[in-house]
Amino acid sequence: MPHFVVHEHHATRLHFDLRLEMEGVLKSWAVPKGPSMNPAEKRLAVMVDDHELDYAGFEGTIPQGQYGAGKVFIWDSGEYALKAGSLESERLEIVFAGKKLKGVFALVRMSGKSKEWLLIKKQDEFSDSTFTIDLIQ
Ligand code: MN
């Protein structure tokens, strides 16, 4: 199964980066509020540049003066399965098997040319209407 990672990125603004191993790279989305296990909380996920596969293991500090300067932690990681869809279809159904992200999510592009997607937990045995995000740091 392919891997995913969610980086907790303390840049100018704290955000989270969802990265999916796909097509030989890490397809990446910046999620300002982070993923939610609550199906009622749709999370904006802005597609950003692909990263190389080995970046999935990165934790550390991006130096001042470089893009994204600040501390990076692995908020969650694990395997995932693509249940349906593709990037081209602009609608993915993903089953995460992480420590925090579990079960089915939809990742849906908001409009044809936009980089803006929504990450939405689907109702299942792992969904949690009381979910609040816990920071590594
Ligand atoms: Mn980032």
Side-chain angles (χ1 to χ4, degrees):
M1 292 211 327
H3 286 83
F4 79 94
V5 63
V6 178
H7 281 126
E8 176 184 316
H9 186 181
H10 293 254
T12 308
R13 284 189 184 174
L14 171 66
H15 63 276
F16 296 77
D17 293 296
L18 169 65
R19 307 189 195 280
L20 302 177
E21 181 187 333
M22 192 179 277
E23 301 173 357
V25 296
L26 294 174
K27 293 291 176 184
S28 299
W29 290 261
V31 184
K33 293 184 175 176
S36 177
M37 294 296 287
N38 182 349
E41 295 183 335
K42 296 176 175 153
R43 297 303 205 201
L44 176 65
V46 180
M47 195 175 234
V48 294
D49 290 347
D50 297 344
H51 281 58
E52 295 191 15
L53 289 179
D54 61 8
Y55 193 70
F58 177 77
E59 282 192 302
T61 300
I62 300 173
Q64 290 300 322
Q66 288 190 24
Y67 184 76
K71 288 182 179 175
V72 177
F73 302 92
I74 294 175
W75 183 80
D76 197 17
S77 66
E79 295 183 324
Y80 78 94
L82 190 57
K83 190 178 170 194
S86 64
L87 287 177
E88 290 68 31
S89 74
E90 303 183 351
R91 185 180 189 93
L92 308 176
E93 266 202 352
I94 300 164
V95 184
F96 287 106
K99 295 186 184 75
K100 294 173 180 167
L101 295 188
K102 296 174 192 283
V104 184
F105 282 71
L107 185 57
V108 183
R109 187 176 274 183
M110 290 171 74
S111 75
K113 291 180 179 175
S114 170
K115 290 187 176 297
E116 296 188 350
W117 297 58
L118 290 174
L119 180 65
I120 310 161
K121 182 74 188 85
K122 305 298 264 189
Q123 203 68 244
D124 63 15
E125 68 266 43
F126 301 112
S127 50
D128 176 5
S129 63
T130 69
F131 179 84
T132 54
I133 203 153
D134 58 323
L135 299 179
I136 302 289
Q137 188 165 49

